[in-house]
Amino acid sequence: MSDTHESDETGIEAYNKTKVMKFGIFTLIIVVLFAILILFTLLSRNSWNEGMKDQINSVLNEKELPYKTGELDHLQSSISLNCVSYTDAALPDVHIVLVRTPTLYGPFPALYVYDEKTGNVEFIDLLLIGGKSKDAVVSSAKNMQVQYWKNRIPLIINTADKKQGEEK
């Protein structure tokens, strides 16, 4: 009788062992997939930032404005997921801010220039659209959205890490 009882325990142990191995392999596959996703995200971050800077600089050149993007501001605000800010390359008190702005036609990136000395926020343009649709989107966003972000941008920039260029 003890022989059959021992063989039953061995069968259950073998079954549990295969279940744990299958679960371990599944978990390992999930961890590897997440690691690959994180790796690609980290590798693409610099090219994404450079592409954004190029897009902003092309709009500033098109509008014949004397600004050029410099270093990235490290915003410490919850809005930083929808906003990116660069200091001007020549004027450290001037910030070039790109904000995802909701419009009647969906969200569009709006470009602003903020001067800390004067407190002036200037709306430059909406990016990534052109032609007839641009006029409709700009006119729908011009009144309320542009004014809202003009009021919010100084508060957002004040959350930036001011010691980003200094050694801590």
Side-chain angles (χ1 to χ4, degrees):
M1 222 177 172
S2 65
D3 291 336
T4 56
H5 183 68
E6 286 179 17
S7 65
D8 287 343
E9 284 184 29
T10 307
I12 291 172
E13 288 176 7
Y15 176 76
N16 286 340
K17 189 175 183 180
T18 58
K19 283 287 193 188
V20 168
M21 287 180 63
K22 286 180 182 179
F23 181 74
I25 291 170
F26 174 74
T27 304
L28 181 65
I29 290 171
I30 296 295
V31 167
V32 168
L33 287 176
F34 275 112
I36 290 171
L37 286 173
I38 290 170
L39 177 68
F40 283 130
T41 302
L42 293 175
L43 291 175
S44 66
R45 183 179 297 171
N46 287 337
S47 65
W48 184 81
N49 281 336
E50 290 302 315
M52 180 137 355
K53 285 172 92 171
D54 291 342
Q55 181 75 25
I56 291 170
N57 286 331
S58 69
V59 170
L60 292 172
N61 289 337
E62 178 184 309
K63 297 286 183 181
E64 298 178 357
L65 295 171
Y67 308 111
K68 185 169 173 60
T69 56
E71 290 188 33
L72 180 68
D73 289 330
H74 297 286
L75 303 176
Q76 304 295 324
S77 171
S78 60
I79 195 70
S80 64
L81 296 175
N82 295 318
C83 176
V84 66
S85 174
Y86 297 94
T87 57
D88 185 68
L91 305 166
D93 291 332
V94 174
H95 299 271
I96 302 162
V97 183
L98 188 65
V99 180
R100 183 169 54 176
T101 305
T103 67
L104 293 173
Y105 303 97
F108 286 97
L111 186 62
Y112 295 85
V113 174
Y114 169 57
D115 188 347
E116 280 186 293
K117 284 184 180 178
T118 64
N120 185 30
V121 179
E122 178 185 355
F123 172 72
I124 304 300
D125 204 359
L126 292 175
L127 276 63
L128 304 175
I129 55 174
K132 293 179 182 179
S133 61
K134 183 173 186 171
D135 296 335
V137 173
V138 169
S139 66
S140 73
K142 196 80 169 171
N143 299 330
M144 290 183 3
Q145 291 297 329
V146 169
Q147 191 58 41
Y148 173 79
W149 288 111
K150 279 185 173 184
N151 294 335
R152 292 286 296 165
I153 284 174
L155 300 172
I156 294 168
I157 298 301
N158 286 333
T159 67
D161 187 6
K162 300 297 181 187
K163 294 182 181 180
Q164 64 191 7
E166 300 173 8
E167 291 185 28
K168 294 180 182 180

